[in-house]
Amino acid sequence: MLKISLMSRRVLSSLGGTSNSSRWFSVQSIRHSKPRTAIVMLNMGGPQNTDQVHDYLHRIMTDRDMIQLPVQSKLGPWIAKRRTPEVQKKYSEIGGGSPILKWTNTQGELLVEQLDKASPETAPHKHYVAFRYVNPLTEDTMKEVEQDQPERVVLFSQYPQYSCATSGSSFNAIFSHYKDKSNGLSGAKWSVIDRWGSHPLLAKTFADNIRKELNKFPEDKRKDVILLFSAHSLPLKAVNRGDAYPTEIGATVQNVMQELLYCNPYCLVWQSKVGPLPWLEPFTEDAIKGYVKQGKKNFILIPIAFVNEHIETLHELDIEYCQELAHEVGAEKIGRAAAPNDHPLFIDALTDIVSNHLRNGHRVNPKFLLRCPACVNTKCLASKQWFQALCS
Ligand code: FES
C-alpha cells in the first residue's frame, strides 16, 4: 500500500494544476481498486484551464440551488457567455487554471493514508473528488464509486460551513443523480458529513497561518494589524430564508480568535458579490477602504470559508486587494493568510472528523435533514427525504 501511495503522490505532483479529465480518473483509480470505505469529497471545483471557463460558468448560472434568476434557462447561459472572457483573463493571471483539483487530491491522499491507520477497521479507504461545476463531476464520480462497490460511502462536504447554495447544491446533485434510477450502491452503508466549521483543529490551522503572516509585519506594527476574515458573500434573500452559512462562519471566526487569545483587532467581511441584488455586507473591499479612512494601515486577509487556494484567494484577495487596492488607498501592507491546503494540522482535522464519524455511528446530522424555515425549493424537500431514508 505504501508503494502505491508513493507512486500516487508522484503522479499527483507531476500533474500540477493542469490535469485533464483522463488524468484525474487515473489519479483517483490508482490507490485501491477495492476500497472498503469511499470518502467522496464534495466541492464546487474550478476550471483547470481557460477552455473550461465557459462550461463552468454555464453550470453555475443554470444551477437553481446556487443562484435563482428570472427565466434562468435563457438568462443563465447568456450571463455565462458574456462573463467568459473576463473570467478567462482572471484565470490567465493566476497561471491559467484553478489549483483546487490539485489541492483536493493532495488532501484526499493524505487523509486516506492517515485514516488507514486511525480507523483500520474501515480500511482500506479511498478518496474520490466530486465537483459540482467541472470535471470530475459529481455524477461521473458516483459512477466510479459504484464500480468499486465499497461497503461504506461517506459523503464529505469540503465546505466547512454549510450553505444551501454550495454544500446543499452538491447534496441535491447526488439526490438528482439517483432519484430516477436504481442506486448501484444500495448495498453500501451511506453517511453524510455536512459541516465541520467548528472543529478545533480547523481553528488551529487558521490560527497558525495567521501567526505566520503576522510575523511578516515589523514588530512595532504587529499588534495593530487588523485581521479581516473574508468569506464569500451570500444574497440577503438566502440569508432571510434561514441559510445557516453566516452564523457558521461567525462560529469559525470566534474559534480562531479564541485560539489566538484575541491578540489583534478583527472583523468579519464578505467578498465576491455578483449581480445587483443586496448581499451580505460589509464587503471586503469597502472594509479596507473604511478602515484606511479611520487611519488604519495594516491588514491580514483570512479566507475563512475556503480550504484551498482558488480564484477568490489568488486573484480577488492577492491581486485585487493585497496589491491593487492597497496601492490605491495607501495602505502600508495588506497580507493574506494561506488557505489550509496541505497544512499538517488541517490533514489531522480531516482525519479526526472522518474517523470520529466512522466510529460514532451517526450517519446524518439532524440539522442537515431540516430545511431552511422559508425554503420554497421542492428539490430540497425530496432530497432531504431521500437522504433520511438512505442514511437510516
Ligand atoms: Fe435551504 Fe431549501 S433553501 S433547505
Side-chain angles (χ1 to χ4, degrees):
M1 188 185 305
L2 182 65
K3 255 189 187 167
I4 298 172
S5 173
L6 288 173
M7 179 165 65
S8 174
R9 276 211 209 178
R10 276 200 293 274
V11 171
L12 278 171
S13 65
S14 72
L15 290 180
T18 57
S19 320
N20 59 27
S21 58
S22 62
R23 279 172 171 170
W24 66 255
F25 187 84
S26 317
V27 169
Q28 293 201 95
S29 307
I30 205 163
R31 193 167 190 276
H32 303 296
S33 53
K34 264 287 171 211
R36 185 181 287 170
T37 303
I39 313 294
V40 185
M41 302 170 81
L42 309 172
N43 211 333
M44 69 187 304
Q48 300 304 297
N49 54 59
T50 52
D51 291 343
Q52 293 179 0
V53 169
H54 173 265
D55 288 357
Y56 167 75
L57 292 178
H58 186 280
R59 290 189 184 105
I60 290 178
M61 290 297 167
T62 52
D63 175 12
R64 286 193 68 76
D65 292 329
M66 166 61 86
I67 190 163
Q68 294 89 43
L69 301 167
V71 281
Q72 190 146 0
S73 60
K74 289 201 166 47
L75 188 56
W78 182 81
I79 295 172
K81 197 171 169 196
R82 201 176 58 107
R83 291 202 62 209
T84 294
E86 163 205 342
V87 176
Q88 281 176 325
K89 184 170 177 286
K90 290 186 178 180
Y91 277 102
S92 301
E93 289 168 3
I94 62 162
S98 168
I100 188 169
L101 178 59
K102 182 196 80 168
W103 280 122
T104 310
N105 267 321
T106 301
Q107 290 159 345
E109 284 293 317
L110 294 170
L111 165 65
V112 294
E113 268 182 35
Q114 293 195 175
L115 265 183
D116 284 352
K117 293 182 200 124
S119 180
E121 59 280 13
T122 52
H125 307 83
K126 177 178 171 181
H127 87 281
Y128 301 77
V129 178
F131 284 160
R132 188 70 185 88
Y133 306 116
V134 287
N135 284 332
L137 289 169
T138 305
E139 297 78 4
D140 296 331
T141 296
M142 293 318 298
K143 285 180 200 153
E144 194 194 341
V145 181
E146 283 181 37
Q147 282 165 14
D148 287 348
Q149 286 294 307
E151 293 168 21
R152 284 202 66 156
V153 180
V154 179
L155 302 176
F156 186 14
S157 172
Q158 295 305 292
Y159 305 100
Q161 304 90 3
Y162 191 95
S163 169
C164 296
T166 53
S167 347
S169 176
S170 279
F171 286 112
N172 282 353
I174 291 171
F175 157 69
S176 298
H177 175 65
Y178 283 111
K179 76 177 161 64
D180 295 325
K181 62 181 164 82
S182 68
N183 182 345
L185 287 159
S186 56
K189 187 173 168 184
W190 289 68
S191 58
V192 167
I193 303 175
D194 63 325
R195 68 197 78 203
W196 39 279
S198 297
H199 195 279
L201 288 173
L202 179 68
K204 281 185 192 294
T205 306
F206 277 115
D208 191 54
N209 285 342
I210 292 168
R211 279 189 208 102
K212 284 180 187 147
E213 201 58 35
L214 272 172
N215 286 338
K216 296 179 188 169
F217 285 79
E219 217 170 329
D220 59 322
K221 307 254 163 97
R222 209 168 285 163
K223 71 175 179 18
D224 296 322
V225 173
I226 299 181
L227 307 180
L228 291 177
F229 291 90
S230 187
H232 201 295
S233 189
L234 192 67
L236 286 187
K237 251 170 120 174
V239 176
N240 294 341
R241 272 200 301 266
D243 198 293
Y245 177 76
T247 52
E248 294 190 10
I249 294 280
T252 309
V253 171
Q254 289 308 315
N255 284 354
V256 175
M257 288 312 302
Q258 205 165 337
E259 186 63 36
L260 290 169
L261 302 174
Y262 297 90
C263 61
N264 280 64
Y266 66 98
C267 185
L268 170 55
V269 295
W270 307 91
Q271 67 178 92
S272 316
K273 175 193 191 265
V274 285
L277 294 175
W279 287 47
L280 268 173
E281 298 185 34
F283 299 129
T284 307
E285 177 176 356
D286 295 341
I288 294 168
K289 287 178 180 167
Y291 279 133
V292 170
K293 269 193 196 145
Q294 292 177 22
K296 314 293 183 191
K297 296 273 183 199
N298 292 294
F299 306 88
I300 293 176
L301 306 179
I302 303 112
I304 196 68
F306 300 124
V307 297
N308 35 46
E309 307 298 348
H310 58 297
I311 190 87
E312 283 87 351
T313 57
L314 299 172
H315 199 283
E316 186 171 356
L317 295 185
D318 289 355
I319 297 176
E320 294 170 43
Y321 301 156
C322 294
Q323 295 174 25
E324 296 170 358
L325 186 64
H327 181 71
E328 180 192 322
V329 299
E332 248 169 48
K333 180 174 164 71
I334 305 180
R336 203 263 292 176
N341 300 333
D342 60 350
H343 194 301
L345 284 171
F346 181 63
I347 305 303
D348 288 348
L350 296 178
T351 308
D352 193 58
I353 291 159
V354 180
S355 57
N356 280 333
H357 173 82
L358 290 168
R359 201 171 301 122
N360 71 16
H362 296 146
R363 290 169 63 184
V364 63
N365 175 1
K367 168 72 173 160
F368 171 73
L369 299 174
L370 181 71
R371 294 164 72 198
C372 295
C375 171
V376 289
N377 184 347
T378 50
K379 197 200 278 181
C380 296
L381 172 63
S383 171
K384 303 280 185 196
Q385 288 170 342
W386 183 81
F387 275 105
Q388 183 156 32
L390 185 74
C391 299
S392 61

